[in-house]
Amino acid sequence: MIRVLLADDHEIVRMGLRAVLEEAEDIEVVGEVATADAAISAAQAGGIDVMLMDLRFGPGVEGTRVATGAEATARIRATMTNPPQVLVVTNYDTDADILGAIEAGAVGYMLKDAPPAELLAAGA
């Protein structure tokens, strides 16, 4: 079973991702967070195999210290011995955005308008 955390500042996006992922028998959504800081904390708490990480977060109700998914990914990779794999799922598709996410340690990059089957294949 692949344990997935959803990290996106838009609840409707998290709900949509959850609905798609729950169709797969081998994927379990174990949590959701709305800020980059919360994504870091959740990763460090353990029990996550894959994180679907937004690239840009608003301040959210928890405030913000880490503003982007790339920064959160870099922090997770720097502070954990066995970090979860991070797949960036975002609307932003510039070369700088993609390169920043990959340099931070993301294993992949997917646009939010990708077909659900692509998301399932990437998460597996």
Side-chain angles (χ1 to χ4, degrees):
M1 185 68 68
I2 301 168
R3 299 165 299 178
V4 177
L5 177 84
L6 307 176
D8 194 291
D9 58 334
H10 294 100
E11 182 179 8
I12 192 81
V13 171
R14 294 191 312 268
M15 290 172 66
L17 290 170
R18 179 181 284 275
V20 170
L21 294 172
E22 286 180 343
E23 294 292 318
E25 293 180 11
D26 60 342
I27 296 175
E28 176 186 9
V29 177
V30 295
E32 299 180 16
V33 296
T35 67
D37 292 319
I40 294 166
S41 295
Q44 292 171 339
I48 300 165
D49 300 310
V50 175
M51 295 181 75
L52 299 186
M53 179 85 73
D54 193 7
L55 193 59
R56 297 185 187 167
F57 289 86
V61 295
E62 301 169 37
T64 185
R65 290 183 303 278
V66 177
T68 72
E71 291 170 338
T73 300
R75 178 87 50 87
I76 289 164
R77 300 208 35 93
T79 60
M80 295 182 67
T81 320
N82 190 20
Q85 299 294 309
V86 176
L87 175 65
V88 171
V89 181
T90 189
N91 287 324
Y92 304 99
D93 64 351
T94 67
D95 289 344
D97 290 327
I98 295 168
L99 184 59
I102 299 303
E103 286 178 344
V107 296
Y109 190 96
M110 179 169 237
L111 293 177
K112 288 180 179 174
D113 64 356
E118 278 187 37
L119 177 62
L120 290 172

